[in-house]
Amino acid sequence: MRIAFFDLDHELNVNLKNYGGLTKVINSENWSLIDSKLRKITQYFVGKKESFVVAIAGGIFEYEHVSNDIKCDGIILAVVPGSNFVEARKILINREMKRAHFKEILSKGKMTRENLLSKIIKDMDDSLANLEDKADDFYFTGKKDPPTVVKSI
């Protein structure tokens, strides 16, 4: 059986195109706009009848309705890079430092690299704690990316 794969960041970026995209909306801290688009997207996913996988960043669970909507009609399987939480934390922190909106923050001098790294470490620790709380199960991927993992399901 082929399972559809969606990336929530990509879906948000598409839905926020008229506002300059996800990076611009994050940098402007327009959380209510992100929330309204998340509601639209998660309702679309929940309404599907066939199996699917959605890649969701751990921080998205700050929007309580996301996990509630998904759990209403499915399960949350945390697909985490690495082979354990220590390795996952390191991989995720390095990945976050490369994100466009963080690069923009650094290039515009809005934060020092050290302050940004501290913020990312705190956010990652919070995200992993949220995943531990919200997920029904965990799958450590080693070095595989989410689409590769989905193909192996």
Side-chain angles (χ1 to χ4, degrees):
M1 168 169 72
R2 180 147 165 78
I3 298 176
F5 175 77
F6 301 96
D7 182 314
L8 187 58
D9 280 352
H10 172 75
E11 299 297 326
L12 273 170
N13 196 43
V14 168
N15 277 265
L16 294 168
K17 186 174 163 184
N18 293 339
Y19 304 92
L22 181 57
T23 297
K24 185 171 183 177
V25 174
I26 288 172
N27 287 341
S28 68
E29 298 183 3
N30 192 343
W31 310 123
S32 62
L33 178 59
I34 291 173
D35 184 47
S36 71
K37 297 300 181 181
L38 273 173
R39 286 184 188 279
K40 176 183 165 190
I41 294 166
T42 55
Q43 288 302 311
Y44 167 77
F45 289 132
V46 169
K48 294 180 80 54
K49 297 299 177 205
E50 63 275 356
S51 298
F52 64 92
V53 173
V54 181
I56 300 174
I60 212 71
F61 292 116
E62 292 176 23
Y63 299 93
E64 192 69 28
H65 65 83
V66 172
S67 57
N68 291 341
D69 288 348
I70 293 169
K71 281 190 176 250
C72 172
D73 207 29
I75 64 166
I76 297 175
L77 173 62
V79 179
V80 184
S83 57
N84 57 53
F85 280 108
V86 173
E87 191 176 324
R89 181 179 183 265
K90 186 177 181 179
I91 291 167
L92 291 168
I93 289 167
N94 287 331
R95 187 183 296 166
E96 285 296 294
M97 286 296 287
K98 296 174 184 169
R99 287 191 182 265
H101 58 275
F102 290 134
K103 285 182 178 180
E104 187 176 324
I105 286 171
L106 289 174
S107 71
K108 291 186 175 180
K110 292 181 178 179
M111 255 185 184
T112 65
R113 182 170 171 74
E114 293 76 26
N115 288 346
L116 179 60
L117 182 58
S118 293
K119 177 194 178 334
I120 288 173
I121 289 170
K122 182 190 178 313
D123 289 350
M124 263 322 112
D125 289 343
D126 291 347
S127 291
L128 288 170
N130 269 333
L131 280 175
E132 282 187 282
D133 181 49
K134 304 287 184 187
D136 297 298
D137 202 358
F138 285 83
Y139 180 86
F140 289 97
T141 65
K143 296 183 180 192
K144 298 178 201 165
D145 64 355
T148 303
V149 171
V150 171
K151 288 177 186 172
S152 70
I153 294 176

